[in-house]
Every structure is written in C-alpha cells, then in structure tokens.
Amino acid sequence: MQIYDTEINSRLLVGTAQYPSPAVLVDAINSCRCEIVTVSLRRENADGSGTGFWDTLRQTGTRILPNTAGCHSVQEAVTTAQMARELFGTNWIKLEVIGHADNLQPDVFGLVEAARILCAQGFQVFPYTTDDLVVGEKLLEAGCEVLMPWGAPIGSGQGLRNPDALRGMRAHFPNVPLIVDAGIGRPSDACQAMELGMDAVLLNTAIAKAGDPAAMAQAMAQAVDAGRAGYLADPMERRNMAIPSTPILGMAELA
C-alpha cells in the first residue's frame, strides 16, 4: 500500500490511547505487527519532557502519525499540527476538526479549510472525514492524497453504519487510498471494511478496551488480511434465489 511517498505493508493502523499501561500497548502493537500508530500531541509536552510516551513508541519501531484529536476549530487544528511536526519530526498529520461534541462527527467545512492550509505548508494530511463524496472531492482538491471516512462515531464500536456509502466511495475514488477510521468494534467489522475494498483500517478503542488487548490486536490483523484477500478474490454476488451447487443434469433417476 502506497501512502504519499511511503510504502506500507500492514493495512492495520492502531491508536495509542486508553490502554491500561504502556506495556500492554507495546504488546498489542507487537501482536498485530502494525507499522503506523497514531498519537495525540497531548501525550507529550512541547519540550519532549514528561511521561516518556514518545520514547516508548520509538522502541516499537513503528511510524508515528500524529493527530489533532480534540480540536474543534480550524486554528486549533492547524496550530496543533504545526506543534506536532516540530515535536515528532514528520510531515504526516491525521487531521481532525470535530463539529459535534456528542458523536464527534467531523466539521467537514472546517476540515477542508484546515486541510488546504496544512497541505500548502507541506503537510501530508490524513483527513478524518465522513463518507460524503463531495467532501472527499474537496479534500482531494485541497491537496490530500488519502481519505479516512468514518465507519461509525469514534469509540462507539458500532461497526460500519453505512457500508453502501463506503462501497460508493471505493467506486468513486478507485485510485485514492481509503482508510476506515472510527467505529470498528469487532474483527468482523474490520473484515467487512476490507471486503468493501478499503485499503486499510484504523482503530483504537476496540483493542485498548478489550479484555486481552494483545489477542484482540492479533485478531484484528488477521481480519484485515482475510478481508483484503477476499476482496482481491472477487467474491460472488448475492442472489435473491437459491441456485443448486450440484447440477441436476446427469443425476440418477430413481423409479
């Protein structure tokens, strides 16, 4: 999978919040063999001091995708992104501009504006967006080369609430990397997203809040691989009527 100028082998991206301990987080990352983890700037102080969370992540060998989690305005998101670039030394940024306090739905108007500003400043933006085709077009016009539509509200574990819309995005943007971000609760959800043709899945709460985060991380990785393989195998289309798998022609006639 090619994301901007980087080739990625794992199609599972993992968040780093809400884990019981840093050790559990590291075990989960190692179990799923992910190559990209997201981290909020709030995990570190601006001078790099504090909890040492950044050092813990560096030990895993994963690539850091900073995010602007919790930002509700364009200015807040842009400033947070600029600080993240300075701290983490990367042009990658997962852009969140939250518009609704309860369901954490993106403010797509602010999102497009912030994306345009950051792309002009040399950022490689991963926008957390809805499954709206027009918004997707606007984000690509702003300079984004990847789209991250939600499956369901962040942390809800509801799975894919609108798989038809995601299927439509895949058809409308055949050459754009699509990463389902938010809402995945079970391995079957991740598998479904990949079967729809998504390029990757980003999840956090489903692993962090599982009874055994490392085991769930491994299950999610396997589900992503299975869903991708199923999509590439070109599954049969669903039918309204039964069709016998054994042909009638040639069967014995019993008197």
Side-chain angles (χ1 to χ4, degrees):
M1 178 174 61
Q2 189 80 16
I3 301 181
Y4 287 104
D5 55 356
T6 302
E7 185 174 309
I8 303 298
N9 294 311
S10 174
R11 295 176 182 270
L12 176 63
L13 289 68
V14 174
T16 57
Q18 305 185 65
Y19 287 83
S21 70
V24 172
L25 168 60
V26 171
D27 285 344
I29 292 174
N30 291 335
S31 294
C32 67
R33 303 182 306 280
C34 67
E35 298 178 38
I36 299 173
V37 296
T38 63
V39 59
S40 170
L41 182 65
R42 293 165 180 78
R43 288 288 191 173
E44 284 282 354
N45 294 329
D47 60 359
S49 64
T51 64
F53 191 78
W54 172 219
D55 291 331
T56 299
L57 291 181
R58 279 194 296 190
Q59 293 171 11
T60 67
T62 54
R63 179 155 184 161
I64 304 299
L65 174 58
N67 66 39
T68 61
C71 293
H72 291 259
S73 70
V74 172
Q75 185 58 54
E76 186 180 11
V78 169
T79 301
T80 301
Q82 293 168 339
M83 294 172 64
R85 178 161 64 178
E86 192 168 321
L87 176 61
F88 296 109
T90 177
N91 286 325
W92 279 17
I93 191 71
K94 180 192 169 191
L95 179 60
E96 298 183 23
V97 182
I98 301 301
H100 195 284
D102 291 332
N103 65 15
L104 303 181
Q105 179 171 327
D107 171 1
V108 295
F109 304 101
L111 178 68
V112 172
E113 182 181 349
R116 184 174 291 109
I117 294 171
L118 292 174
C119 288
Q121 295 179 0
F123 283 89
Q124 295 177 319
V125 178
F126 294 64
Y128 163 62
T129 182
T130 62
D131 49 27
D132 186 280
L133 298 181
V134 176
V135 176
E137 291 279 11
K138 297 296 184 183
L139 288 168
L140 296 178
E141 291 172 4
C144 300
E145 296 182 17
V146 59
L147 299 175
M148 303 182 73
W150 67 345
I154 294 173
S156 68
Q158 295 179 13
L160 307 184
R161 295 207 302 188
N162 196 348
D164 287 338
L166 294 175
R167 188 181 292 108
M169 289 194 76
R170 178 73 290 162
H172 191 71
F173 304 112
N175 300 315
V176 177
L178 300 178
I179 303 174
V180 170
D181 177 17
I184 300 295
R186 299 173 182 273
S188 56
D189 301 332
C191 186
Q192 181 187 17
M194 299 303 293
E195 286 180 341
L196 292 175
M198 301 296 104
D199 293 282
V201 167
L202 193 160
L203 53 88
N204 185 167
T205 310
I207 294 177
K209 293 301 184 180
D212 187 337
M216 182 58 75
Q218 184 178 34
M220 288 293 186
Q222 293 170 341
V224 166
D225 289 343
R228 178 65 178 176
Y231 172 72
L232 294 177
D234 191 14
M236 64 174 286
E237 294 187 6
R238 294 185 178 183
R239 301 161 175 165
N240 292 326
M241 299 293 292
I243 297 179
S245 57
T246 303
I248 297 177
L249 184 66
M251 293 182 66
E253 294 185 12
L254 304 177

